[in-house]
Amino acid sequence: MSESEITIHEVKTDNDSEYYCRAMNQMARGCTWLCRDCPLCAGTEENGEQGIISVKCRYADSDDEFPIYWEPSQPVRGVYDRMPQDAIRFAAVAHKGALRKGNGLPYIIHPMETMSIVSRMTEDPEVLAAAALHDVIEDTKYVGRDIEERFGRRVAELVGMESEDKKRHRPASDTWRERKEENLIRERVAPREAKLIMLSDKLSNVRSTLRDYHQVGTGVWDKFNMKDPSEQEWYYYAVAKVVSELSEEPVYKEYTEILDIIFEKH
């Protein structure tokens, strides 16, 4: 990451007014801790006298380009190599206004983090794009056909593998176990690329849960549709088995270590 690709923006710690975050392409509130948790944060510096936090934010500061949050080993050339950036821009529009459960962070941070984790295991532009888009079919107005028309069949198929049938005609808590079992069955026979996204998605989730766990303990599950920690434990460890072919990856080790903490296995 060159110095020209790291831009400093300053946000006051003594007010909670909204500001426009280019990294997330939308308005944000509570900027101090939000920026510190953002996958694009490259560090902070604090000036106690002025109550200012300088946040080093990774994004390309030219022509409204979207963030650089992964570093390809080769120069980016052509539409194919730009696909991940186009995908996160598409996802930002699709998820605009949506917030994460519990912490109220703009939802786009989650697919950005998922994509960033995937980038530690592959530089395949289509897989990175699918990681950025992995919740678009499940949680927004867009359907698989929209993804395929914009990004191609392979990306659409990968996103489809990560997408639950929400069964919206029934209460979410009633269908939780059924949806998770369907998800696990589908992922068991999915290609490695889909498992990369699944692992990264769930690691992003449990990282967030771990932060909340340190604050509220086992009450962390109260914000979810499934509030029974034993059910959550069953699912997250089942995911670890499904993606066990990735067990040599450092992110797999991080995932299982976090599970042992939040489910108190240590």
Side-chain angles (χ1 to χ4, degrees), residues 80-96:
Y80 181 71
D81 285 348
R82 288 198 303 271
M83 187 182 290
Q85 288 180 312
D86 290 342
I88 198 66
R89 189 179 292 112
F90 185 97
V93 172
H95 293 294
K96 189 174 180 63

Side-chain angles (χ1 to χ4, degrees), residues 117-156:
I117 296 168
V118 170
S119 74
R120 294 166 59 182
M121 298 179 282
T122 180
E123 290 188 352
D124 185 322
E126 291 182 324
V127 179
L128 293 171
L133 299 164
H134 77 274
D135 277 337
V136 166
I137 295 175
E138 183 176 313
D139 291 333
T140 79
K141 65 180 181 180
Y142 296 97
V143 297
R145 182 172 62 256
D146 299 318
I147 303 297
E148 182 171 354
E149 289 176 354
R150 181 71 177 270
F151 299 99
R153 177 175 295 181
R154 182 174 179 233
V155 173

Side-chain angles (χ1 to χ4, degrees), residues 127-245:
V127 179
L128 293 171
L133 299 164
H134 77 274
D135 277 337
V136 166
I137 295 175
E138 183 176 313
D139 291 333
T140 79
K141 65 180 181 180
Y142 296 97
V143 297
R145 182 172 62 256
D146 299 318
I147 303 297
E148 182 171 354
E149 289 176 354
R150 181 71 177 270
F151 299 99
R153 177 175 295 181
R154 182 174 179 233
V155 173
E157 288 177 347
L158 287 170
V159 174
M161 292 174 196
E162 306 306 313
S163 303
E164 287 186 359
D165 175 0
K166 286 290 194 178
K167 307 183 190 297
R168 300 186 191 279
H169 59 291
R170 296 160 58 194
S173 57
D174 291 349
T175 64
W176 187 90
R177 178 90 183 205
E178 181 181 346
R179 288 183 283 113
K180 300 309 177 187
E181 287 176 342
E182 290 175 353
N183 171 242
L184 292 168
I185 291 170
R186 184 168 58 249
E187 292 283 354
R188 284 191 188 102
V189 295
R192 178 182 176 88
E193 291 84 357
K195 290 182 171 66
L196 295 178
I197 299 171
M198 184 187 205
L199 172 60
S200 301
D201 172 27
K202 298 306 181 283
L203 175 55
S204 173
N205 285 341
V206 297
R207 281 176 174 176
S208 177
T209 299
L210 179 63
R211 287 192 290 268
D212 293 343
Y213 174 83
H214 285 317
Q215 295 180 16
V216 300
T218 55
V220 70
W221 306 110
D222 291 344
K223 66 182 179 180
F224 296 104
N225 292 321
M226 174 49 68
K227 305 181 189 309
D228 183 344
S230 66
E231 287 289 280
Q232 296 281 359
E233 179 180 345
W234 159 77
Y235 176 62
Y236 278 110
Y237 278 106
V239 168
K241 291 181 180 178
V242 166
V243 301
S244 60
E245 67 182 79

